[in-house]
Amino acid sequence: MKYIIAMNTTEILTGNCPSETAYNPGKTGNHEQAMAELEKSIYNALERYSNVHRGSGHFSKASTHLYEKARQIVLDHLRLRGNRYEVLFLSPRRAKAFTELLRPECFKTISSKETGLSLGVSAVAIQKNALPKDTPFETGGGTTKLYGPDWVLWANHPDRFEAGTPAIINIIAFSKMLQIMKRRGKDVFQDSAKNNTTPAEILYSGEWNELQGLELLQRLRETMIGSAIQVPTTSGFKNFINFDNSASTQAFSPVWEAFRKSLRLNDQARHGLVKEVRQICSEILGAPLTDYDIIFTSNTTESINITALGLGKQATGETEPVILTTVLEHSSNDLPWRTVPGHTLLRLSADNEGVFDLKELEVLLSSYNSERLQGKKRIRMVTVSGASNVLGTCNDLTAISEIVHRHGAMLVVDAAQLVAHRKIGMSATGIDGIAFSAHKIYAPFGTGVLIVRKGMLQFGDADWNLINASGEENTGGIAALGKSLLLLQRIGFDLIEEEETKLTNKALKEISLIPGIEIHGMKVADQVGHPGKTGVIGFSVKSGMPATVARRLAFSGGMGVRFGCLCSHLIIKQLGSFTPFQEKFQRLVVKMVPILNLQGIMRVSLGIQNTEADVDALINELQRIMVSADTKQKNKDQHMVGNSEITFNKKEVKKQFRKFIESSEMKVFGQ
């Protein structure tokens, strides 16, 4: 389904758009009109979707703008002033945990469930002077400015309290609902005319049901939402290319349809859909429901925090439990383990290709658990990334599992970077728990998944009820997750791996030939005798700050990439050969200059929709950037294209960039 909002250029940029028909309580079809308006807005947001705050391309900037605009809409709805209040977007469970820390008079809340549609979003408007100053109640991606092995500099609010990737699209949809309710009536979404669509029709039906394998992959590439959106560049308008799939992925068209249809389900059908998607996760991920609990959350970060919380509630007897993680981890699989009551943290090393030393793993587990050479200390859990978000490296989970279980420990895998790229068999591999997010598997509607062996986490009935109710409130996100997993299964994980490996090898080979660029990690994606790597390519550019290079890729190539410490500060420092003095100096600088953005490295991450033409475009842009650096062309108003030179006004390019963001706001929030 394609939605078009007809506006001329002047209307888009000035906001002088034709007004909607005023709300009329007696007018028939008012609810359906409101739903149609909401769906148009969601679709327009999806067309420009990317992760927020830390990306460099047009889509990330547009999504960030829409996300921050949503905060203002909530404040307007609650009639609160932005100079006094801050809005946090949280899952229902997180909102409850957070507000229990506050005085009742200091905050107001509103949830999507109150409006009539369950999107799994709660907004907490809190007085700025009442925001907690200490460690956030949940930690992980986005909550820090900088951290080391045993210290953390926390981010400013609101980032400090919104751990992990938020439900960006759902939050934008929620704020749009508030706008519509203001014009059409506060109950306009309450009296929903529920349809007779069944969960089976949503998940298993569709116009491409007969397609499989490469044919299905091609069709999904062609219809990926946002694939036809053009963005302004120095050489005219170009189709946007997303090279930031490791952060977040755009939506398959059938996934959007599943989300859209699920909003109209009655309660019985909603429960049936959740049950069916739980079964889909069980079958595709090899986690029999007789042996595993499958829990829906808001993102990977919340899943890992729940695991850490549940682990901390278990009795440890006379032992002093230890959690073994690695230097390779994303902050979401590092920070939550630091505060588990009664537990200490130990880290396994990895080389600069992101490969764990299995001999070291064996020695550590033997020393702590089998030989008992460390007193009462026992390694209780080993938690590793299935694939690195910095280097793309996949370590041998079967071999790791065998060692871990032989010494009586549990294995938990952060599979956020793995599920979309490799076949996972939890039971066959011996994995005790995994966590991942739907927004990294082409279903960006705010759902995370936690799968753990039964009995592994110790929660009382009230806690379990809250955890399950919170995640299952986002029925649309769960429907999108299930639909996407089924599509990936029909394409075939072997084919996905083959296609992505071929593309990654092409990119690695051609980037390595560009003078002045250093690739971090493996130089081939299918290294003999090793599980290989996904399409994540980290690299550094000689004579070029990552922020500058990322900005040029956006302005000249219409590409979205990522730069910085990538929420994985420990491995980034290792790749940069940081000394203890340099780390101490960096920490001091960040304390003194809080607005400083750390440069880190560049990262290109490929997804299922990327093609050889995309990689060719990337190589061409990187070559031009490096030629410019090597010849010391300082005139930033000139850019080489082939053998010709195109001059452009830098201010005009920035102006067009701003117009793109403004037009995105008008398409989503304009009336």
Side-chain angles (χ1 to χ4, degrees), residues 5 58 91 359-360 429 495 497 514 528 536 545 559 596 607 631:
I5 298 180
H58 300 69
S91 70
K359 291 182 180 179
E360 181 188 1
T429 306
L495 178 61
E497 182 177 349
I514 303 175
V528 177
V536 175
M545 297 291 279
M559 301 170 187
L596 182 70
T631 57

Side-chain angles (χ1 to χ4, degrees), residues 36-80:
E37 182 182 351
L38 177 64
E39 288 173 4
K40 286 181 182 179
S41 293
I42 297 173
Y43 189 87
N44 284 325
L46 279 173
E47 284 193 310
R48 293 152 181 80
Y49 172 77
S50 183
N51 209 340
V52 297
H53 299 144
R54 294 173 287 277
S56 61
H58 300 69
F59 280 20
S60 182
K61 299 298 184 185
S63 291
T64 299
H65 182 77
L66 294 172
Y67 183 75
E68 295 303 323
K69 176 69 176 178
R71 297 192 205 274
Q72 185 58 53
I73 291 172
V74 170
L75 286 175
D76 292 343
H77 179 83
L78 296 174
R79 299 182 180 180
L80 300 173

Side-chain angles (χ1 to χ4, degrees), residues 204-510:
Y204 300 108
S205 298
E207 58 180 319
W208 303 334
N209 267 12
E210 75 285 359
L211 301 182
Q212 302 217 17
L214 189 58
E215 189 177 5
L216 176 58
L217 174 57
Q218 286 294 107
R219 185 65 62 88
L220 290 171
R221 282 174 174 165
E222 293 166 2
T223 60
M224 179 79 75
I225 296 178
S227 61
I229 296 295
Q230 294 200 320
V231 296
T233 72
T234 57
S235 52
F237 281 80
K238 296 180 178 180
N239 282 8
F240 180 78
I241 303 176
N242 180 26
F243 283 128
D244 196 17
N245 293 280
S246 186
S248 211
T249 51
Q250 294 157 265
F252 293 144
S253 294
V255 168
W256 152 243
E257 285 298 315
F259 175 84
R260 183 181 71 83
K261 291 176 181 177
S262 72
L263 296 180
R264 300 168 182 265
L265 292 177
N266 58 42
D267 288 344
Q268 182 178 356
R270 288 177 62 244
H271 290 307
L273 186 141
V274 171
K275 182 178 179 181
E276 187 62 27
V277 175
R278 186 171 279 117
Q279 183 64 45
I280 290 170
C281 290
S282 170
E283 292 176 0
I284 293 180
L285 297 166
L289 292 174
T290 53
D291 302 324
Y292 291 90
D293 290 318
I294 298 179
I295 303 149
F296 297 115
T297 65
S298 61
N299 53 33
T300 302
T301 303
E302 184 171 33
S303 294
I304 294 174
N305 274 276
I306 288 171
T307 308
L309 182 64
L311 193 69
K313 291 179 177 293
Q314 288 187 356
T316 60
E318 296 183 357
T319 65
E320 298 173 10
V322 176
I323 298 169
L324 176 61
T325 184
T326 85
V327 297
L328 201 63
E329 302 310 306
H330 187 283
S331 58
S332 292
N333 199 37
D334 182 307
L335 300 178
W337 305 115
R338 300 189 185 196
T339 55
V340 178
H343 290 61
T344 56
L345 196 64
L346 184 67
R347 291 188 182 85
L348 181 70
S349 64
D351 63 23
N352 282 3
E353 288 193 335
V355 178
F356 305 145
D357 185 343
L358 297 187
K359 291 182 180 179
E360 181 188 1
L361 176 64
E362 179 83 57
V363 168
L364 284 171
L365 282 162
S366 178
S367 174
Y368 278 80
N369 292 12
S370 299
E371 300 179 55
R372 303 188 177 187
L373 301 179
Q374 308 298 327
K376 293 183 178 180
K377 291 186 177 180
R378 303 286 181 270
I379 296 176
R380 185 179 193 184
M381 173 184 288
V382 177
T383 178
V384 302
S385 55
S388 168
N389 74 303
V390 175
L391 303 171
T393 310
C394 301
N395 278 280
D396 189 340
L397 295 178
T398 300
I400 292 170
S401 176
E402 192 279 326
I403 296 170
V404 169
H405 288 108
R406 179 151 40 84
H407 293 283
M410 297 179 290
L411 176 62
V412 172
V413 177
D414 173 0
Q417 302 292 332
L418 192 63
V419 172
H421 309 284
R422 295 287 191 276
K423 176 68 176 175
I424 297 176
M426 289 188 64
S427 182
T429 306
I431 298 172
D432 298 294
I434 69 167
F436 67 96
S437 294
H439 74 89
K440 295 185 191 292
I441 60 169
Y442 313 99
F445 297 97
T447 286
V449 181
L450 172 62
I451 306 179
V452 292
R453 287 197 188 276
K454 288 186 178 296
M456 181 174 147
L457 303 182
Q458 300 296 316
F459 289 111
D461 289 344
D463 288 333
W464 272 127
N465 290 338
L466 176 61
I467 290 168
N468 285 316
S470 178
E472 292 173 17
E473 186 176 308
N474 183 13
T475 312
I478 293 171
L481 162 73
K483 187 71 173 183
S484 188
L485 283 173
L486 289 170
L487 289 168
L488 293 175
Q489 183 186 49
R490 282 170 50 200
I491 294 169
F493 286 98
D494 289 343
L495 178 61
I496 291 171
E497 182 177 349
E498 178 185 338
E499 289 285 307
E500 291 185 345
T501 296
K502 179 171 62 177
L503 203 62
T504 304
N505 278 335
K506 173 181 171 66
L508 286 167
K509 179 181 178 181
E510 298 191 20

